[in-house]
Amino acid sequence: NLLAPNLSTIADEFGMDDDERDIKLGGLIALGFFFVGAPVSYIVGWLADSINRSPLFAATVFFGELGCFMVVFVRTYWQLYLCRVVTGISVGGAIPVIYSVLGDLYPAEKRAAIAAIVTTGTGLGMGIGQAMAGSVDSWRFPFLIVSLPGMLCSVLLLFVKDPKRGAKEAAVLGMKRRGNRDRVPPTLSESDKRMVMPAAHGNNLVSYKTRENYGAECKLFAASGSSIKKDSVAVETEQITQNSDDKTGSRKSRLVSCKSILELTTIPSVVLVILQAAPGALPFGFCATFLNDYLQEQRGMPKQEATIIMLTFGAGNAIGVILGGVVGHYTYKRDARGPPLIMGVSLILGCLPFYLLINNMDKDASTGVVAGVAVLSGILVVVPVPLERSILANVCLPQLRGRANALVGIVDDLGKGLGPALVSLLIASSDRQTAFNISLIGWIIGGVLSLAIVMFVANDEESVQQQLREKIRHDNECP
């Protein structure tokens, strides 16, 4: 995003003409983001469902910010390309971890509001980054300012505690409220030689091993609210894992991983959230890559004015994310179908002011009017962002959320990566204005798919809670 205000300046430094500028700086770099960001997103999402998420998130952020830092020293286009592709590690890997953690920190009715707060930071970062890059003479300097604090924060993440998985699910909280800690534990026969021995303490879990079957673990589920006492035991809902050097266990783990992905594709709401992400990301890719330079080159605005318009668009994004979180929070409390309805309507309506911005706003228009149109468009098109992530958390089991967010991230990267590349090809065959108008169709398609979620989301959420209740009940009965 820091490149966007200076595409023409960078093209001049590297000796590119207009077509090379749009294809190499606008299209290929974004495409490189996808090729790295997409696989990293899935790998990190899979790991987020399996290991401690604090060091995972720290490593993801650090390597991405390292690529951002190295941009300061590039002297050729391909050096720049490589550094921006490495930054795709952070772009692709951070999102699955963030929303996996949020799902375990907050209950379903608060997730839309919390996702809005987190996403607001992204919108503000985009706006501040564009303002910074558009207000300094050196196009490299903003990368230095952004990367150093990012690497420092990644180190601090190592000291953050990973929350308990599934602790905020309605089924678990409901059992806690019913006095789950007072239930009678199963009794072990003294004639049975399976004496219980304490094993290593994991993250928020206490595990026990039997003398007869030392490899099998029976982990305690602290999230249910039970105290760890001699007369009170709660069995965790997660699957028992084998030692890493056990080949049979490793094969089983891989099969379970594949099965979990197939399981996600059987949830209609998840499939629709994934499908709407790709076309909806096409115009977003255009905004992040081309819009600032388009306002300068095709609409005749000075660099500072174009940057101000982008800043107001970013401010609209921040407002829209907060609005989406607040409205989603209150509508969800009334009806689970409210958030996807808001998603679809808002995304489709957002095309109207954005169309005006592309086709009717130029250097002769009042800056206040242009800024107003940009803010309105920015608000409408990002209202769905926190809502789609909260829906995803609500319709997926806790141990599947990282992979579900990773799949959405992959498709989102596909849109953001291939979007600018496709737009750059359209520009080469026609012109920028026509290409940008075509990209707006993506928001309309995304809006229609979002509206379709209304038909399935309530049943999908109830299915998750029912599975959790049945699993907890089954594990509580298991000796």
Side-chain angles (χ1 to χ4, degrees):
N1 196 49
L2 294 175
L3 292 177
N6 297 292
L7 287 184
S8 295
T9 301
I10 299 169
D12 291 340
E13 179 176 325
F14 292 148
M16 300 177 182
D17 58 29
D18 289 348
D19 288 339
E20 288 178 314
R21 172 199 62 196
D22 290 333
I23 293 175
K24 290 186 175 181
L25 295 178
L28 292 182
I29 286 182
L31 194 60
F33 257 65
F34 163 69
F35 280 123
V36 172
V40 167
S41 181
Y42 178 74
I43 293 171
V44 172
W46 178 74
L47 291 173
D49 292 332
S50 310
I51 66 174
N52 190 320
R53 289 168 289 193
S54 294
L56 176 64
F57 191 36
T60 300
V61 173
F62 180 83
F63 284 109
E65 294 298 338
L66 181 62
C68 188
F69 175 75
M70 295 304 295
V71 171
V72 178
F73 307 101
V74 302
R75 290 295 177 267
T76 67
Y77 166 74
W78 290 110
Q79 290 174 348
L80 173 65
Y81 179 85
L82 179 61
C83 289
R84 299 307 290 155
V85 166
V86 171
T87 304
I89 294 174
S90 276
V91 176
I95 296 299
V97 182
I98 290 172
Y99 288 101
S100 174
V101 170
L102 289 180
D104 292 327
L105 285 175
Y106 300 96
E109 66 271 13
K110 294 184 178 180
R111 286 170 187 159
I114 298 302
I117 294 173
V118 173
T119 311
T120 299
T122 304
L124 289 175
M126 291 178 62
I128 293 172
Q130 292 247 356
M132 183 196 312
S135 59
V136 297
D137 293 332
S138 172
W139 63 268
R140 291 180 173 85
F141 185 61
F143 290 92
L144 179 66
I145 298 175
V146 169
S147 60
L148 291 179
M151 287 190 285
L152 175 61
C153 289
S154 70
V155 175
L156 297 178
L157 285 169
L158 294 172
F159 303 96
V160 177
K161 186 178 180 181
D162 192 12
K164 292 176 283 192
R165 300 180 194 273
K168 298 298 181 180
E169 293 306 313
V172 176
L173 295 175
M175 180 170 288
K176 181 179 179 180
R177 285 192 296 268
R178 290 192 299 269
N180 184 46
R181 62 170 54 90
D182 295 326
R183 66 183 180 273
V184 179
T187 303
L188 296 178
S189 171
E190 291 186 4
S191 62
D192 192 345
K193 295 181 180 181
R194 297 184 303 171
M195 293 181 63
V196 178
M197 301 184 299
H201 288 245
N203 181 30
N204 302 313
L205 300 171
V206 181
S207 63
Y208 287 79
K209 295 183 178 179
T210 63
R211 182 168 293 174
E212 264 188 12
N213 186 8
Y214 192 77
E217 295 182 0
C218 185
K219 298 179 180 178
L220 300 188
F221 188 39
S224 65
S226 298
S227 302
I228 307 302
K229 300 178 181 179
K230 293 180 181 179
D231 61 345
S232 181
V233 178
V235 183
E236 186 207 6
T237 60
E238 291 185 2
Q239 179 186 351
I240 294 170
T241 57
Q242 298 288 344
N243 197 325
S244 58
D245 59 355
D246 187 335
K247 293 183 180 180
T248 302
S250 298
R251 286 194 297 268
K252 184 176 180 181
S253 178
R254 287 193 294 268
L255 289 173
V256 170
S257 178
C258 295
K259 182 179 178 181
S260 65
I261 296 299
L262 294 176
E263 183 179 348
L264 287 173
T265 62
T266 65
I267 305 172
S269 296
V270 172
V271 174
L272 288 169
V273 169
I274 292 172
L275 290 177
Q276 64 85 33
L282 294 177
F284 278 121
F286 147 64
C287 293
T289 305
F290 292 111
L291 184 56
N292 193 308
D293 196 72
Y294 172 79
L295 294 175
Q296 296 177 49
E297 299 296 320
Q298 274 65 47
R299 309 310 293 179
M301 296 182 185
K303 179 180 178 180
Q304 290 74 19
E305 183 178 351
T307 301
I308 290 174
I309 299 305
M310 291 302 302
L311 187 59
T312 59
F313 182 78
N317 288 165
I319 296 171
V321 166
I322 295 173
L323 181 64
V326 172
V327 175
H329 172 74
Y330 285 106
T331 56
Y332 178 84
K333 291 171 70 174
R334 294 176 63 89
D335 193 324
R337 295 170 294 183
L341 179 63
I342 294 171
M343 284 174 58
V345 172
S346 178
L347 202 54
I348 293 172
L349 290 179
C351 295
L352 300 177
F354 203 84
Y355 179 86
L356 293 176
L357 180 63
I358 293 174
N359 297 280
N360 298 96
M361 303 291 116
D362 55 25
K363 62 180 180 179
D364 297 326
S366 168
T367 302
V369 173
V370 180
V373 172
V375 167
L376 179 59
S377 178
I379 291 173
L380 291 172
V381 299
V382 300
V383 164
V385 175
L387 301 181
E388 68 180 26
R389 296 294 178 171
S390 66
I391 290 171
L392 208 60
N394 294 342
V395 300
C396 293
L397 291 166
Q399 63 267 31
L400 296 177
R401 286 179 186 143
R403 275 163 280 192
N405 278 285
L407 289 175
V408 175
I410 289 172
V411 178
D412 191 51
D413 283 344
L414 175 63
K416 291 179 180 178
L418 292 180
L422 293 174
V423 169
S424 66
L425 294 176
L426 287 172
I427 292 171
S429 61
S430 56
D431 58 71
R432 276 183 161 186
Q433 185 172 347
T434 301
F436 298 161
N437 284 326
I438 293 174
S439 73
L440 292 180
I441 299 174
W443 277 334
I444 298 174
I445 297 174
V448 172
L449 292 172
S450 296
L451 291 174
I453 300 174
V454 174
M455 297 184 291
F456 304 101
V457 66
N459 289 336
D460 291 341
E461 286 194 28
E462 176 56 29
S463 175
V464 168
Q465 298 307 317
Q466 183 61 30
Q467 289 180 66
L468 287 171
R469 286 190 292 267
E470 291 176 356
K471 190 162 184 63
I472 292 172
R473 188 182 303 112
H474 174 270
D475 288 346
N476 287 341
E477 297 171 353
C478 180

